[in-house]
Structures are given as C-alpha cells and as structure tokens.
Amino acid sequence: MAATLRDVAKLAGVSFKTVSNVINDYPHVRPATREKVERAIAELGYKPNMSARSLRSGRTDTIALAVPELNLSYFAELAGMIIAAAEEKGLVTLVEQTGGDRERELALLHSPRLSMTDGLIISPLGMGQEDTEALNVPFPLVLLGERTFDWPCDHVTMRNEDAARAATEYLIGSGRRRIAAIGENEAEVMGSARLRLRGYREALAAHGIEYDERLVVRATLWHRADGARAMRELLERGVPFDAVFGFNDTMALGAMRVLQEAGLRVPEDVAVLGFDDLDEAAYSIPSLTTVDPGREWLARTAVDTLLERIGRGGSDLPPRTKLADFSIVERESAPGG
Amino acid sequence: MAATLRDVAKLAGVSFKTVSNVINDYPHVRPATREKVERAIAELGYKPNMSARSLRSGRTDTIALAVPELNLSYFAELAGMIIAAAEEKGLVTLVEQTGGDRERELALLHSPRLSMTDGLIISPLGMGQEDTEALNVPFPLVLLGERTFDWPCDHVTMRNEDAARAATEYLIGSGRRRIAAIGENEAEVMGSARLRLRGYREALAAHGIEYDERLVVRATLWHRADGARAMRELLERGVPFDAVFGFNDTMALGAMRVLQEAGLRVPEDVAVLGFDDLDEAAYSIPSLTTVDPGREWLARTAVDTLLERIGRGGSDLPPRTKLADFSIVERESAPGG
DNA sequence: GGCAAATCGTACAACGATGCAAACCGGTGG
DNA sequence: CCACCGGTTTGCATCGTTGTACGATTTGCC
C-alpha cells in the first residue's frame, strides 16, 4: 500500500500532524523539522491521498468541463485551451461529452459525480430558456458559449450578433451583394444560430440590401457534411450568390468543397467566410477567412470566473456576463475590399 | 450544505447505515424500507459524497487520460472515443495534456493527482526506452499508442509497420513507382515514424523498387504546416515522384494543399495517402485515401484493459500487448489499382 | 406455541487527511 | 524563581462513507 502521513511521521520521528503541517506550508515549523520530514517524504515516496484531503477540506482542485463532443474541432480546441488554463491555476479537468443533448446536459447538472469537483464549466447546446430553473445549482457553475439568455449564473460568451454583423459587413465591403448564409436553425430559440442570423440581417439592412430567405440554408448539426449538404441545396435552388457566410468554419469548409466541385472558383466567383478560426481554417485550399471569436480569452476567462466563484465569498457574487472581443481574420477565401 | 446519509436517515426514520445499504443495493432490505428511504432521498435531493466514498472504498470510478494535445485532431478524436467508452463502463475521465514532452509525461506518472483515479491511460510521445523503470508504477496503467517497446505494462497499439507496408503496397498496386514519404524522424528511436518508415521500405523492397532517400522528408511535429513544409522541400529537390505517403492525415492534407498550389493534380499527377482516418479526411478536396488504424477498437480496448487491471486480481496479470487491426480506406486522393 | 433460520437494522470502527485548541519549550522580564 | 510569551508541536475530533459484527425482528416449520 501507499505510504500515509503516519508512515512518514514514524520515519521522521514526529507526530503525523507535523507532517501535515509541513505539507500545507503551515508557517511555524522549524527548518530542521521541515527538512527531516521532507527527507522522510522523499524516502517513502509519500503522496497525499486526494480523496481524504477532499473529504476533509472540501476542495478537490478539480473542475468539470462539459462540451458536446470532442470530435468537433471547435470544442476540441476549446477544451484543450480550458484544460491548459486550468492547469496553470493548479486544477485538473474532468471532461464530459453531452452530445449537445438536453437530457444529458440536465442529467449532468444533477450528477453525484460533480461532488468530486469544485465546479463546472458547461457549454450547453440542448438546454433552453425553460431550463433556467435547472441552473440553480448549489455549486459554482459557469456557462460557456454562445447563448445569451438571462440566466442566473455566470456566463462567458462571445459577441455572436456583433461578430456576424461585422463578418457580413466585411463581405459587403469587399463588394459582395448576394450573400448566402449557412447554418440557420429556428429550433434553437436563442442559440448562436439565431444570433448570427440576426447579425447577418442587420448588416444587410444597414446597407440597404434586401433580405432574401432563399439565400439562407438551414443546418442543425454544423458538421462538415451539413455544410456540404447545405451548399448543394443552395446550388439546386438556382438563386445566384457571390458570397457565403458559414455560421462555423467546419460548415464553411464543407460548403467550399462543394463549390469547388461544382466548378465555382473561391474567392473569384464566390467568397467564403467562416466563424471560429479553427487551426484548420489556416490550411484549407484556399485558406479560410473567418471570425476569431476570442476563444483563448473565453477559455481563460471561464476558468478565472469559475475560480472566483470557488474562492471564499464566491457564492455571494451576483451572476456576471463576460463578453469576448472578436476579430476578423482575413485569408484567401474572402479577401478584404 | 448538501444532505448527507444521516439527514436522509433522520427523515426516513432509519439508521444511516440502512440508507447506505439501500444505495449500494445491499440485498436484505425490505421493500417497504427501501421505498421509504428512496422517498427521503428524492425529497432531500441527496447525492452521495464521492470523496468520502472513495476514501472508504478505495475506488473512484475515475480514470485519467494523458494525451499530447487536444488540438491535434487525432488525439481529440481518440480522447472523445475513450471518454465515451469509459462512460459506458460507468467511469468518468480526467484529461491531461502533456504536450508530448518527456518531462511532463514522467511527472504525470508521479503526480499525487493520480490518487484521485483508478488508473491511467497514457499516450506517450516523449518517453523512450530509457524510461522503462518509470513505468513501474503502483497503479493500473495502460500505454496507448504507436510504440512497441518491450515495456513492463499493458500496451494497446496499432500495427504501424504492417499498415505502412500495406499502404505503400496499395500505392504500388495502383501503378505508382516513385513514392515519397513524409514524416520521417530519426530522433524517435522506436516511435511510429520509424515503424512506418520501415513498413514503407519493406514494401518497396518486396516489389523490387529501390529506396531513394531523396524521396523521404523529415517532419517532427506532424502538424499540417509540417506536411506543407515537407512538400515544399520535396518539390524544391526536383526529384520526380508520383505518389506521397504522409505518415499522418494532417501532414498529408497539408502536403496535398501545397501540391495543388503548385499546379499538380491529385490524384492524376500525384496520389496522396494518409494515416489515421480523421473525420476530416473524408471531406478534403479531393477526399483523402488513408489508413484506418482501428482507433475505435483502440479506445474501447484501452478502457477494457485498464478495467481488467483495476478489477480484483488485476495486479497479478502479466503485461499484455494488444494490437488493433487496420484497413485502408479508399477515397479520391489515391484510387485503387 | 416454540425454536431455528432467515432476514433486516444497527452500532462501531475504520479510510487518511485537516482544523482547532491545547501543550510544550526555552527564553525574558518582573 | 515564577509567570508569561512567542514560536513550535501535538492530540483530538471530524469530514461522509462503507465493512464487519452483531442484535433484533420476522418468518418458516414442526
């Protein structure tokens, strides 16, 4: 069996409480004692039992992260950033995949598993306004993501609407007028689909371009195949267009492939613009102009916000909403105007 | 504060151990009692304290997974599969990123954090044969990945050499004779780079094609940019070639992009074949022919193997090596012969 | 109705750590 | 010479749960 405090204490010739004091950097320990204890720790290869420590102290130094799926590049990269940010703060991260499924998201919020963690960062997809009550949980919770409900907990999010408006204006600024949008999804009442669509419409309106719903294609899952399918549908409609705004990079890349298969040149015939700034966007052919929603900032801020909640007095803080800054990353698929 | 066993017991009018018995499906509990207790549990929203349970029972129902980085698609997809496989078995997964760094891999093996888990699945990149001793750890450990050292612990891996040979033979079978290889890395003594190179050479030899080292390009990180850089280098060398075998999909995709930029047609002028079968490979232009190394099987088997170790008697099992079956996924970038 | 056997519930002791408060220690000041 | 002091160390209770051992109760059966 692994060594315990008592084993170390016996070897060092002190009480086990003194060993505990050394480990926890209790200030009043004589240097000689400390050294003696540390030698014993090294000799036995002692490692504190985290379960016992958690039970007693109430802290686990572990956070939970719930994302839809890791094989969606956006969430994989986001998860990587969050795990790294957490690690910098001395936390480890437990990862759950919800599949974007409302039931599983709700179940997670009530999972006894969370008592092994100090808090949860969740990027919900399936939950809606009707689930507000479920967010009233007795542990630190940070919502991460694209929605802007009036929810009773901390919320770190991106400027979906502003960014989508800016992206559309970027396309308009480069001379495009018939701009298609891929990814609309009326089922998501206030999700990013709705918000990005709204930004898109605002930009059109601001420039006196009439909204044409034949240029808007629905896509629920936002996988690459959905982008491809949407583009095929768009081409079949026979409505002319000179630009495509994909509501995420993955769909934009799928759409771009179909465009090229159809013999259309990007960006000469059709400009393509995405959203997310995945690693991949820099390496497609042509490379993808996209919106960087500030993911690195989102990741760090989500962790910091959760830590504020975890710390003393954290539960007294009012719910906060933090917004990331975005930027448009110009690449080949949609050169600036 | 959250409710405890005692609170439930008080409400249900039984002793707290009886509540524990109900929760743990202890057989001898009268249905009436059970129901009474369950009602109390529901009313209080009681959830067992996992730290206390772990401390007492010694099991955490948590495993740790260490991969280099989640923003490498290969590892993101693999991690997603492992987390899903673990969840099916009732385990949650703690994810660590090592960056492929030897020091961090070794540090992880000694981390006190692991006492919060029942075992570790690690996909090592930086460690080498000289670190065998470090793998002699007092907890269940499964090595996942591409190396085939003679290591003293369970090892779930793929047929790197066979698969690379088969991939090369596939290209030869389709009529290619001057086949370039991207991803060689002599620093990795027995890593997948070396093994895949070996398989490549065996296939050439078996078909009487002379090995030409000018067709082999080095790449250490296997990112997309490395594939692109390698392809530029290859083109600069001016040595003719009619096929490229990328040692992973990401590099193959980067290389394919450079080929196309240079005006070469894929697959007419140059066939491209990758390794990994990432989701992405199905959606590139052209779609990428690649080796499926059996990742789904690897993920499930890694979890199952770890569970066998965790279970009773697990520490008596001898070290085992399990090999996944591979297959070649034919797509557009390299049609069959 | 009575006795043994099955069943059900309870008390107590861990698991390994931390928080609190009390005990110890040598040195100082009165 | 003793009370007192800061710094240092220790003992004890405790976190919430499960395992063991054992009483208590019901049940089955003659």
Side-chain angles (χ1 to χ4, degrees), chain B residues 43-90:
Chain B
E43 183 169 338
L44 291 174
Y46 165 77
K47 288 178 220 103
N49 180 310
M50 291 305 186
S51 298
R53 174 177 289 182
S54 302
L55 171 59
R56 179 63 238 225
S57 70
R59 290 209 37 168
T60 61
D61 291 336
T62 302
I63 64 173
L65 170 67
V67 293
E69 287 183 52
L70 284 185
N71 65 1
L72 300 176
S73 298
Y74 174 74
F75 290 109
E77 294 181 14
L78 187 65
M81 290 174 189
I82 288 176
I83 292 171
E87 204 215 307
E88 273 177 33
K89 305 282 183 178

Side-chain angles (χ1 to χ4, degrees), chain A residues 11-334:
Chain A
L11 182 63
V14 296
S15 87
F16 77 93
K17 186 62 230 278
T18 301
V19 180
S20 171
N21 287 340
V22 169
I23 290 167
N24 294 296
D25 286 325
Y26 180 74
H28 306 301
V29 178
R30 221 174 351 168
T33 312
R34 157 161 286 129
E35 206 205 328
K36 210 167 46 177
V37 170
E38 274 165 354
R39 214 169 14 234
I41 288 177
E43 183 169 340
L44 292 174
Y46 166 77
K47 288 178 219 101
N49 179 312
M50 291 305 186
S51 298
R53 174 178 289 182
S54 302
L55 172 60
R56 183 61 239 234
S57 71
R59 290 208 38 167
T60 62
D61 291 336
T62 302
I63 63 174
L65 169 67
V67 293
E69 288 183 53
L70 284 184
N71 66 1
L72 300 176
S73 298
Y74 174 74
F75 289 110
E77 294 182 12
L78 187 65
M81 291 175 190
I82 288 176
I83 292 171
E87 205 216 306
E88 274 177 33
K89 306 282 182 178
L91 302 168
V92 289
T93 307
L94 208 130
V95 180
E96 301 261 5
Q97 299 183 104
T98 61
D101 183 50
R102 173 167 174 265
E103 302 305 324
R104 291 176 65 189
E105 288 169 3
L106 290 173
L108 190 63
L109 290 172
H110 296 116
S111 162
R113 281 292 166 46
L114 291 174
S115 67
M116 280 185 4
T117 69
D118 292 339
L120 170 66
I121 298 176
I122 183 170
S123 183
L125 274 191
M127 292 174 47
Q129 185 76 70
E130 73 274 21
D131 300 310
T132 301
E133 197 46 49
L135 292 172
N136 238 320
V137 292
F139 52 82
L141 175 67
V142 169
L143 250 50
L144 176 62
E146 296 136 56
R147 310 187 158 210
T148 50
F149 286 104
D150 185 23
W151 273 346
C153 55
D154 291 333
H155 193 187
V156 178
T157 188
M158 59 181 72
R159 301 182 178 277
N160 271 297
E161 194 171 330
D162 295 343
R165 184 177 344 99
T168 310
E169 282 181 339
Y170 173 92
L171 289 170
I172 295 171
S174 71
R176 313 286 170 162
R177 283 299 174 275
R178 298 202 48 81
I179 302 171
I182 290 180
E184 181 253 353
N185 179 6
E186 74 288 347
E188 267 189 18
V189 185
M190 279 293 282
S192 39
R194 178 66 63 101
L195 292 169
R196 291 179 193 175
L197 183 66
R198 192 186 288 174
Y200 161 81
R201 295 189 65 161
E202 285 167 5
L204 295 183
H207 290 79
I209 302 175
E210 198 172 349
Y211 172 71
D212 181 349
E213 67 177 12
R214 293 172 308 167
L215 288 174
V216 176
V217 195
R218 189 161 186 278
T220 47
L221 286 180
W222 293 18
H223 286 240
R224 194 177 307 239
D226 300 302
R229 199 187 20 68
M231 180 50 72
R232 275 187 225 104
E233 188 176 330
L234 190 61
L235 291 171
E236 274 169 21
R237 289 183 190 170
V239 187
F241 59 94
D242 55 12
V244 178
F245 175 24
F247 285 178
N248 78 354
D249 280 357
T250 318
M251 281 192 300
L253 291 167
M256 194 155 74
R257 165 174 183 152
V258 172
L259 278 172
Q260 292 171 309
E261 279 180 336
L264 290 159
R265 292 167 306 158
V266 178
E268 294 81 354
D269 301 323
V270 178
V272 177
L273 194 150
F275 200 114
D276 282 349
D277 193 26
L278 299 185
D279 279 6
E280 200 183 334
Y283 297 99
S284 59
I285 310 180
S287 59
L288 185 67
T289 298
T290 188
V291 176
D292 172 8
R295 289 182 308 159
E296 183 69 35
W297 186 93
L298 283 170
R300 303 194 101 79
T301 304
V303 171
D304 292 344
T305 306
L306 192 64
L307 271 173
E308 286 166 24
R309 276 278 162 218
I310 292 169
R312 37 178 279 107
S315 49
D316 302 332
L317 296 167
R320 294 157 296 171
T321 294
K322 305 189 182 182
L323 281 172
D325 283 336
F326 64 88
S327 61
I328 290 177
V329 183
E330 179 178 343
R331 297 208 185 88
E332 297 162 358
S333 72

Side-chain angles (χ1 to χ4, degrees), chain B residues 97-109:
Chain B
Q97 299 183 106
T98 61
D101 183 51
R102 173 167 174 266
E103 302 305 323
R104 291 176 65 189
E105 288 169 4
L106 290 174
L108 190 63
L109 290 171

Side-chain angles (χ1 to χ4, degrees), chain B residues 41-291:
Chain B
I41 287 177
E43 183 169 338
L44 291 174
Y46 165 77
K47 288 178 220 103
N49 180 310
M50 291 305 186
S51 298
R53 174 177 289 182
S54 302
L55 171 59
R56 179 63 238 225
S57 70
R59 290 209 37 168
T60 61
D61 291 336
T62 302
I63 64 173
L65 170 67
V67 293
E69 287 183 52
L70 284 185
N71 65 1
L72 300 176
S73 298
Y74 174 74
F75 290 109
E77 294 181 14
L78 187 65
M81 290 174 189
I82 288 176
I83 292 171
E87 204 215 307
E88 273 177 33
K89 305 282 183 178
L91 302 168
V92 290
T93 307
L94 211 130
V95 180
E96 302 262 4
Q97 299 183 106
T98 61
D101 183 51
R102 173 167 174 266
E103 302 305 323
R104 291 176 65 189
E105 288 169 4
L106 290 174
L108 190 63
L109 290 171
H110 297 115
S111 163
R113 281 294 166 44
L114 290 174
S115 68
M116 279 184 5
T117 69
D118 293 339
L120 169 67
I121 297 175
I122 184 169
S123 184
L125 274 191
M127 292 174 47
Q129 184 76 70
E130 73 274 22
D131 299 311
T132 301
E133 198 46 51
L135 293 171
N136 239 321
V137 293
F139 51 83
L141 174 67
V142 169
L143 251 50
L144 176 64
E146 297 136 55
R147 311 189 156 209
T148 49
F149 286 105
D150 185 22
W151 273 346
C153 55
D154 289 333
H155 193 188
V156 178
T157 187
M158 59 180 72
R159 300 182 178 278
N160 271 298
E161 194 170 331
D162 295 343
R165 186 180 340 101
T168 310
E169 282 181 337
Y170 172 93
L171 290 170
I172 295 171
S174 71
R176 313 286 169 160
R177 283 299 173 275
R178 298 202 50 79
I179 302 170
I182 290 181
E184 183 252 351
N185 180 6
E186 74 287 347
E188 268 190 17
V189 184
M190 280 293 282
S192 38
R194 177 66 64 102
L195 293 169
R196 292 180 193 173
L197 183 67
R198 192 186 287 176
Y200 161 82
R201 294 189 67 160
E202 286 167 4
L204 295 182
H207 290 79
I209 302 175
E210 199 173 348
Y211 173 70
D212 182 350
E213 67 176 13
R214 294 171 306 167
L215 287 175
V216 176
V217 195
R218 187 161 189 279
T220 47
L221 287 179
W222 293 19
H223 286 240
R224 195 176 306 239
D226 299 302
R229 197 185 22 67
M231 181 49 73
R232 274 186 225 105
E233 188 176 330
L234 190 60
L235 292 170
E236 274 169 23
R237 289 184 190 170
V239 188
F241 58 94
D242 55 12
V244 178
F245 176 24
F247 285 178
N248 77 356
D249 280 356
T250 319
M251 280 192 299
L253 291 167
M256 194 155 74
R257 164 174 184 156
V258 171
L259 278 172
Q260 292 172 309
E261 280 179 337
L264 291 159
R265 291 166 306 158
V266 177
E268 293 82 354
D269 302 324
V270 178
V272 177
L273 195 150
F275 201 115
D276 282 349
D277 193 27
L278 298 185
D279 280 6
E280 200 184 334
Y283 298 101
S284 59
I285 311 180
S287 58
L288 185 67
T289 297
T290 187
V291 176

